[in-house]
Amino acid sequence: MRWLAVVAGMALIAIAVAAVTRVSDTREGLIAEVITLLSALAGISLVIYGFAARHRPGLAPTTAAILVEPQSRARSSRDLKLGSGGIALSVVLMVGLAISGGFLWAALGLALLLPMISGSVYLCVRYLRASP
């Protein structure tokens, strides 16, 4: 299944490259630009999925699955350090964007940094919830 995602992603990227040649200041050019952006986004997403997804071993149909409760293990301080470092880095980047580019660039930067900020907050919260 992963190789299919990689092949489909490469095909979409090829469509994006082909559509770049049609971009101009006409209505058809704008449509080609949208096709370029969307197919490149979908293609890169599929390629990343194809290379990064882990293989999930299937359950044998004759065996019954036994559900095991996940053990809550103590979180290392590495989670807190990575989370707080990510938050600090995002604050520095946002302040730099606000100073040099203004409010609109800071808003765009916030939109782009939102996944990193939420992941960093998640790491900090996960560490704090696991602490005794």
Side-chain angles (χ1 to χ4, degrees):
M1 185 65 163
R2 292 186 309 168
W3 63 270
L4 182 62
V6 172
V7 170
M10 293 292 190
L12 286 172
I13 291 172
I15 290 171
V17 169
V20 165
T21 62
R22 308 255 323 163
V23 174
S24 62
D25 284 336
T26 62
R27 180 176 292 192
E28 292 83 15
L30 292 175
I31 292 171
E33 186 175 358
V34 169
I35 291 171
T36 301
L37 294 173
L38 292 178
S39 65
L41 176 69
I44 290 172
S45 299
L46 283 172
V47 168
I48 289 173
Y49 168 75
F51 287 134
R54 295 182 183 171
H55 178 68
R56 294 184 186 178
L59 294 175
T62 59
T63 61
I66 300 173
L67 296 177
V68 178
E69 292 292 325
Q71 298 177 359
S72 62
R73 58 184 176 103
R75 304 305 308 173
S76 67
S77 63
R78 183 173 179 249
D79 288 344
L80 184 63
K81 290 176 187 173
L82 285 173
S84 59
I87 293 171
L89 178 65
S90 66
V91 167
V92 168
L93 291 173
M94 291 298 300
V95 168
L97 277 173
I99 291 172
S100 65
F103 177 72
L104 291 177
W105 280 105
L108 178 64
L110 177 64
L112 293 174
L113 288 173
L114 204 54
M116 184 185 89
I117 294 169
S118 62
S120 299
V121 169
Y122 171 73
L123 283 174
C124 291
V125 168
R126 187 169 74 168
Y127 174 79
L128 293 174
R129 288 187 67 196
S131 297

